[in-house]
Amino acid sequence: MAPSAPSAPPTHANPCAAEIAAAVAAVVGARPEDVKIDQPPNRALGDFAVPAFPLLKAAGGGAPPALAARIAAELPRGGLIVDATATGPFVNVKVDRVRAIAMAIDAAVGRAPLVPDQGQGAVVCVDYSSPNISKHLAYHHIRSTMLGHALVEIFTALGYRVVRINHLGDWGTTHGMLLAAYQRWGAEYPTIDVTALNALYVRYRAAMKEEPGLDAEARAWFKRLEDGDADARARWQQFRDTSLAEFRKVYDLLGVAFDDERGESFYEDKMPEILELLAGKGLLEESEGAQVVKIPGDKTPLLIKTGDGTTLYATRDLAAALYRQRTYGFARSLYVVDRGQGLHFKQLFTCLGMLGFDWASRCQHVPFGLVRFGGKKTSTRGAVGGSGGGQFLLTDVIAEAVDEVRPRIAEKNPDMAPAELEAIAHAVGVGAVVFANVVPQRDRDVDFDMEKVTSLSGDSGPYLQYTLARCWNIERKAGELVDGPADWTLLSHDAEWAVARKLLEFGEHVARAAVNCEPHVVAHYLLDLAGEFSRWYTQGNDDATLRVICDDLPTRRARLALVHAVKRTLTRGLTMLGLAEVTRM
RNA sequence: GCGCCCAUAGCUCAGCUGGAUAGAGCAUCGGCCUUCUAAGCCGAGGGUCAGAGGUUCGAGUCCUCUUGGGCGCGCCA
């Protein structure tokens, strides 16, 4: 039996919360997963809060404050729990910080799975980036690419086996246009690179408005391609190879890679089966000359074949979904594609269900909002470049961000070797751009603003990288790396506890990010963690005894271990989001 | 016209699937560099959570309606 897909966050991925929940559950006779663990609004109240309301049924009724009082009285002390007080309907629990800190550091440094009992090798397919060949990767492609990449990393960290799929748009009438355009004007372009291909495409589309015949010409070319015409195939292959080579460069820049880059053309010979399946179920109908599947409740049907007899993307998506299920046996199959295609995916999955595939329910569209420029929607069909509302190339935006960042790093590190400066500028520049795209909720539109995207202060990628660099710097200055046990009783300051407590939360945020396919959960967690660390760090400015590198050696060792735990967690989280580790900046 | 999504501080956004006094960043103002990196930290001001009903012990969060915006609706993907 295939492992089931996660549908709810695991209960209490935070090891401290898990222990408290178990203890509370034992007192009231509830299941641990029914015990909600919150944070008190005020740190003085306690470390964890347990609302009594959800436990009323298990406890046999009564008034919430009374139940809270009973729980507070009966909770066993002496282990992790050192104190519990009822405040109205809430039980506020104080934990043994020394124990909790040990748990936090173990979890951050140890090899234990991020969240126990997650993943277990179940397969998650993630379809992301998926650009069209013969076009540049424009800035807006970053959204699908980096959200998808983050989901890949998040599921991998939770113990899933992830298949990274780049479903290239390399098939369809669009590519007939390119072949037609190439035949007409190809000789005018000395080098057929992606810029030339893009220009040919734009030119053809413009010409189509003037000459009605061009539409048919493009269709005819795609028909030739689909029928296996040798010239068409060779030319198309050239366009595809050229595009892939350029994509590879950009993906390398971003640190993104794929396991499956087959693209739509791969499914060409798999479509007859889909047509047979549809016909066999009596789902295929003719409508206005085309072959369609009517979707109950929808005004428009799913188009399977054009009047010309060529296939459409829906047909290929059906074939691809089936192929993925057969090949990978996925527990979950995700499509990280912009929100505008919501109807398409809804119909696609409904159609799979109509075909009798129970795994249709494990397919999920992971939509995201638009990337706008100055409030305007970006067009994949407009001209490239410029600030006039057209497109920005992804590589141009990254290059500009790197240029922005380089002098500031140089200023702070006058002795840095040029090669290292360049590497760090690259990591920070890319980090700024990438972070700006994963920190908002997926479904929010993001308006492109170079100034904001490359901003280094506040809630930004560079802030996280800077915090990480400070961790590295401490370890370098201390001359030792402490990743083993130390005397945790020496970490007695509130600021140290605040850091440790935040470390404990890492797993639950990653798990929640996976359930909701929302990488921004991890992004905000990292900002919180970096904030707690910075607060702790800054206290050393006023008082040398509060610094990590303090005179008391046992204290220093304990603090170094905490720094190391933060460093590990930040590195892990940054990597998850597609930001590079930075050891100095 | 039909469908989906959104509305939280001046701006950009969080708010852990219904919990206690709604939080950050930017911007503004005021503090902290003989300091393990000031790309940082602390403080102040700033809110009718678009509006109106409803559901219940409890609603920014759930249901309905209204307003305002966005996106999508047959042979592109």
Side-chain angles (χ1 to χ4, degrees), chain A residues 228-547:
Chain A
D229 176 270
D231 284 350
R233 288 310 270 263
R235 195 62 67 202
W236 168 84
Q237 187 66 48
Q238 178 199 345
F239 296 170
R240 193 181 193 276
D241 293 346
T242 301
S243 304
L244 265 175
E246 186 183 296
F247 293 167
R248 181 85 49 235
K249 284 186 204 161
V250 183
Y251 291 142
D252 285 349
L253 219 54
L254 292 169
V256 171
F258 299 93
D259 304 305
D260 173 340
E261 266 185 331
R262 286 184 245 267
E264 292 188 274
S265 57
F266 176 77
Y267 301 98
E268 183 196 3
D269 65 0
K270 290 161 187 62
M271 294 204 264
E273 185 190 359
I274 289 294
L275 294 169
E276 277 170 35
L277 285 168
L278 289 168
K281 291 268 179 186
L283 297 173
L284 218 47
E285 298 179 34
E286 185 165 327
S287 168
E288 299 173 33
Q291 298 285 310
V292 306
V293 173
K294 290 205 170 134
I295 305 295
D298 281 1
K299 247 174 95 176
T300 55
L302 193 60
L303 266 81
I304 302 297
K305 253 186 155 179
T306 67
D308 302 335
T310 57
T311 58
L312 287 160
Y313 65 105
T315 329
R316 295 188 281 276
D317 277 353
L318 288 168
L322 180 56
Y323 177 84
R324 287 173 197 178
Q325 172 56 27
R326 283 178 178 161
T327 309
Y328 305 119
F330 55 74
R332 223 173 157 184
S333 186
L334 308 176
Y335 295 79
V336 187
V337 181
D338 74 273
R339 195 184 18 192
Q341 292 189 45
L343 180 62
H344 166 67
F345 283 109
K346 192 198 116 198
Q347 295 192 321
L348 184 71
F349 303 150
T350 303
C351 184
L352 288 169
M354 288 162 73
L355 281 169
F357 298 132
D358 60 340
W359 48 264
S361 61
R362 304 210 289 265
C363 297
Q364 187 187 345
H365 179 208
V366 179
F368 56 84
L370 296 157
V371 178
R372 296 165 180 284
F373 289 83
K376 285 198 295 189
K377 185 190 173 187
T378 57
S379 167
T380 53
R381 290 169 189 167
V384 168
S387 54
Q391 284 189 60
F392 291 81
L393 296 192
L394 189 37
T395 45
D396 289 349
V397 174
I398 289 172
E400 195 165 335
V402 171
D403 287 344
E404 190 76 28
V405 153
R406 190 185 298 108
R408 302 200 56 184
I409 298 166
E411 188 189 341
K412 286 230 162 189
N413 302 275
D415 301 327
M416 191 176 274
E420 190 183 7
L421 173 64
E422 207 46 46
I424 294 171
H426 178 263
V428 176
V430 171
V433 175
V434 167
F435 193 79
N437 280 282
V438 296
V439 73
Q441 285 178 359
R442 259 184 9 236
D443 60 339
R444 296 201 93 95
D445 292 347
V446 291
D447 201 355
F448 177 80
D449 178 344
M450 181 62 86
E451 211 173 306
K452 204 172 272 180
V453 158
T454 59
S455 158
L456 305 184
S457 61
D459 290 350
S460 68
Y463 171 62
L464 298 178
Q465 289 169 318
Y466 175 69
T467 308
L468 178 59
R470 284 174 137 184
C471 292
W472 274 90
N473 216 33
I474 291 169
E475 287 185 355
R476 270 192 299 266
K477 287 227 161 162
E480 67 177 318
L481 181 160
V482 180
D483 62 354
D487 183 359
W488 309 132
T489 60
L490 298 170
L491 298 178
S492 55
H493 289 90
D494 282 349
E496 289 157 352
W497 167 238
V499 170
R501 173 197 166 104
K502 193 52 77 176
L503 284 173
L504 285 164
E505 293 175 11
F506 186 45
E508 67 190 52
H509 286 97
V510 176
R512 194 154 51 85
V515 170
N516 299 328
C517 295
E518 275 284 20
H520 94 290
V521 172
V522 175
H524 285 279
Y525 167 76
L526 293 176
L527 290 171
D528 282 351
L529 177 62
E532 292 297 357
F533 176 81
S534 296
R535 256 184 289 286
W536 174 40
Y537 180 98
T538 307
Q539 289 191 356
N541 287 354
D542 302 323
D543 183 349
T545 67
L546 294 177
R547 291 183 200 161

Side-chain angles (χ1 to χ4, degrees), chain A residues 22-176:
Chain A
V24 172
V27 168
V28 294
R31 297 176 307 171
E33 54 265 40
D34 294 330
V35 180
K36 197 164 160 57
I37 306 290
D38 283 329
Q39 276 188 17
N42 171 348
R43 292 194 173 194
L45 285 171
D47 301 312
F48 294 91
V50 186
F53 311 102
L55 303 169
L56 242 36
K57 207 197 273 176
L67 179 58
R70 200 188 112 205
I71 294 169
E74 292 180 21
L75 266 181
R77 321 293 153 104
L80 180 67
I81 298 168
V82 295
D83 193 23
T85 3
T87 310
F90 294 89
V91 184
N92 290 312
V93 176
K94 287 191 175 154
V95 299
D96 179 345
R97 291 190 178 179
V98 173
R99 261 176 196 262
I101 286 169
M103 287 166 104
I105 292 175
D106 280 354
V109 175
R111 281 183 240 295
L114 196 53
V115 177
D117 307 324
Q118 279 266 292
Q120 301 180 332
V123 173
V124 176
C125 289
V126 186
D127 177 329
Y128 61 111
S129 200
S130 304
N132 293 328
I133 64 163
S134 302
K135 292 182 192 172
H136 287 288
L137 282 176
Y139 178 69
H140 71 265
H141 285 112
I142 198 172
R143 214 78 220 280
S144 172
T145 304
M146 297 319 296
L147 286 170
H149 180 260
L151 290 174
V152 163
E153 296 296 320
I154 286 165
F155 278 102
T156 302
L158 290 172
Y160 291 88
R161 194 162 76 74
V162 179
V163 184
R164 305 170 295 176
I165 299 173
N166 195 8
H167 189 62
L168 295 167
D170 63 357
W171 210 240
T173 313
T174 300
H175 305 283

